[in-house]
Amino acid sequence: ARTVESAARSANQAKAQARALPVNQAGVREIQRLLGRLGYKPGKADGHLGKRTISAIRAYQKAEKLPVDGRATQPLLDHLRRRAGARG
C-alpha cells in the first residue's frame, strides 16, 4: 500500500510541478536562502537564477524525490519552506 501511495504522490507532484508558475526575483532569492540553510550551495542569494542555483535546485529535488527540472517555482518554494521550518 505504501508503494502505491508513494507512486500516486509522485505522480501528483509531477503534475503540479508541470503546471507550476515560476517565482519572481524575490522568490528566487528566498529559494536561494532556504537551499543554503538546508546545506545546498546555490551561490549568492541575489535573486538571479544562475548555474549554481539551478544545480542546487536539481540536487534538492533529487534528494526529496521531486521531479527534477531545476525550475524555481512556487511549489518548490512552498516545499523548501516546509523543510526548512521542520529543521528549525
Side-chain angles (χ1 to χ4, degrees):
R2 254 198 198 286
T3 306
V4 173
E5 274 180 26
S6 293
R9 190 174 19 238
S10 292
N12 288 338
Q13 288 170 342
K15 288 177 191 173
Q17 193 71 14
R19 65 178 176 267
L21 294 175
V23 295
N24 60 17
Q25 191 172 7
V28 172
R29 192 176 303 115
E30 186 176 356
I31 286 171
Q32 290 166 324
R33 282 194 299 260
L34 292 169
L35 284 168
R37 188 182 305 165
L38 292 170
Y40 295 88
K41 308 245 188 272
K44 184 178 176 185
D46 58 7
H48 296 287
L49 193 61
K51 285 187 262 184
R52 283 183 281 190
T53 301
I54 292 169
S55 179
I57 289 171
R58 292 176 68 83
Y60 176 80
Q61 290 170 324
K62 183 177 180 182
E64 293 295 314
K65 297 180 177 35
L66 299 171
V68 178
D69 60 13
R71 294 176 55 218
T73 62
Q74 190 61 49
L76 173 67
L77 180 53
D78 294 341
H79 197 277
L80 281 161
R81 285 174 176 160
R82 287 190 302 273
R83 288 285 290 131
R87 290 189 71 184

